[in-house]
Amino acid sequence: MAKLVRETFPVGPLGCNCSILIDPTTKDAVVVDPGGDGDTILARLKHHGCTVRSILITHAHIDHLGAIPDVQKATGAPVLMHDADRDLYENVGMQSRMLGLPTPALPDFDARLKDGFSLSVGGASGGALHTPGHTKGSTCFHFAGERLLITGDTLFAGSIGRTDLWGGSFDDIIRSIKERLMVLDGDTLVIPGHGPETTIEDERRFNPFVGESA
Ligand SMILES: [Zn+2]
Ligand SMILES: [Zn+2]
């Protein structure tokens, strides 16, 4: 089976990593965290000539949501997110006012995305891992066959997400990462919500919060 094509690039004023995953054979695609710069995202989708089947959201912070309306309108794809972040999603206006950003007119989302929810991108399959801590609904997207893990703001290269915001819990994020992420294959590529990519192996060895020396 052909490996997924992946493109990841920072979008919006806070540099949220948006990823596009594409099955190169069927041209089915998903967009993860369209946080801003809708025109850029749509141009990349057009470049790849792909059909977006779903818009996956790791968690409901404004910097991961800003271009949902643009991408949703252009593709008609459903937005999938964990229901535990509904309050944040519905209070996006408050979030955007705090950061001085325009408030996106968000469509309703599909809340079937729970722990263990099956994801597919053409012939590739994956699953959702509910990893609360940064927010209550924070969810990672794991494509085991691709050795790929998208972690949102739960796990970063050498760090973890902040837990001092609404719904955050330090104990929960540590437990989520140790029990759900650190147990994955070491050669799994980790795409965080901000900053550079890493691997599970590197985070096991060097991450000061959840690694071997923590
Ligand atoms: Zn966040
Ligand atoms: Zn973020």
Side-chain angles (χ1 to χ4, degrees), residues 12-183:
L14 300 181
C16 162
N17 283 330
C18 172
S19 290
I20 301 171
L21 308 179
I22 307 158
D23 179 320
T25 309
T26 66
K27 296 287 182 184
D28 291 308
V30 298
V31 176
V32 184
D33 285 357
D37 298 330
D39 290 348
T40 306
I41 298 169
L42 294 180
R44 297 316 297 163
L45 293 172
K46 194 171 174 197
H47 167 84
H48 289 289
C50 54
T51 306
V52 176
R53 301 297 183 188
S54 49
I55 300 166
L56 305 178
I57 305 299
T58 59
H59 67 293
H61 281 153
I62 172 75
D63 57 316
H64 298 251
L65 310 176
I68 286 178
D70 290 348
V71 176
Q72 212 268 333
K73 250 179 242 135
T75 65
V79 177
L80 283 93
M81 192 186 74
H82 197 289
D83 200 47
D85 269 6
R86 180 176 293 277
D87 283 352
L88 281 170
Y89 194 85
E90 290 177 350
N91 284 288
V92 69
M94 182 198 65
Q95 293 193 56
S96 32
R97 278 192 299 280
M98 281 171 64
L99 291 168
L101 299 171
T103 300
L106 297 175
D108 200 6
F109 67 93
D110 183 333
R112 282 176 301 165
L113 185 86
K114 293 186 165 64
D115 189 58
F117 184 82
S118 297
L119 305 167
S120 66
V121 186
S125 56
L129 301 173
H130 181 215
T131 50
H134 176 64
T135 64
K136 288 180 180 166
S138 283
T139 297
C140 298
F141 304 123
H142 182 219
F143 292 85
E146 308 280 321
R147 293 286 191 274
L148 177 68
L149 178 70
I150 296 177
T151 57
D153 290 359
T154 296
L155 178 65
F156 298 119
S159 189
I160 61 172
R162 56 190 290 188
T163 54
D164 57 332
L165 302 169
W166 192 10
S169 159
F170 185 77
D171 289 346
D172 285 355
I173 199 172
I174 296 291
R175 188 182 318 119
S176 288
I177 296 172
K178 285 188 173 171
E179 292 181 1
R180 306 304 305 279
L181 306 184
M182 290 296 109
V183 297

